[in-house]
Amino acid sequence: LDVAHGASIGLVVETHCNYFAPLSFPQTVDVGLRVAHRGTSSVRYELGIFGSGDTAAAQGHFVHVYVDAHTRKPAPLSPTLVSVLDALL
């Protein structure tokens, strides 16, 4: 994905986060990320953020819609991106 010069770009169209426990700088955190759904022009990612322990301090999701870089109309995911995302499903 070439954001500066590619034919398509991913726009974040939705985000959500639930917070369960405090985290603070400079605390080390671990983040788990998965592809929850892949459409023809969009991807929903889900994530969990962990401090110490096995319980998530926060969890959420975000949705990328891939669009033509010039017209901003939805564009199909490239075959290369599809293969990378499908490996994470």
Side-chain angles (χ1 to χ4, degrees):
L1 182 62
D2 182 348
V3 177
H5 305 291
S8 66
I9 58 173
L11 302 178
V12 176
V13 298
E14 180 181 336
T15 63
H16 179 83
C17 189
N18 289 318
Y19 299 92
F20 308 114
L23 299 169
S24 61
F25 181 81
Q27 180 179 1
T28 299
V29 298
D30 291 310
V31 178
L33 176 73
R34 76 181 194 127
V35 174
H37 175 77
R38 179 188 59 78
T40 56
S41 63
S42 65
V43 184
R44 177 185 166 112
Y45 301 93
E46 295 179 343
L47 58 117
I49 302 172
F50 300 84
S52 57
D54 293 334
T55 303
Q59 65 185 42
H61 71 266
F62 62 98
V63 176
H64 267 154
V65 172
Y66 288 83
V67 299
D68 180 276
H70 301 288
T71 67
R72 297 296 201 258
K73 295 193 183 288
L77 303 174
S78 73
T80 302
L81 183 56
V82 167
S83 68
V84 170
L85 294 171
D86 283 354
L88 300 174
L89 279 170

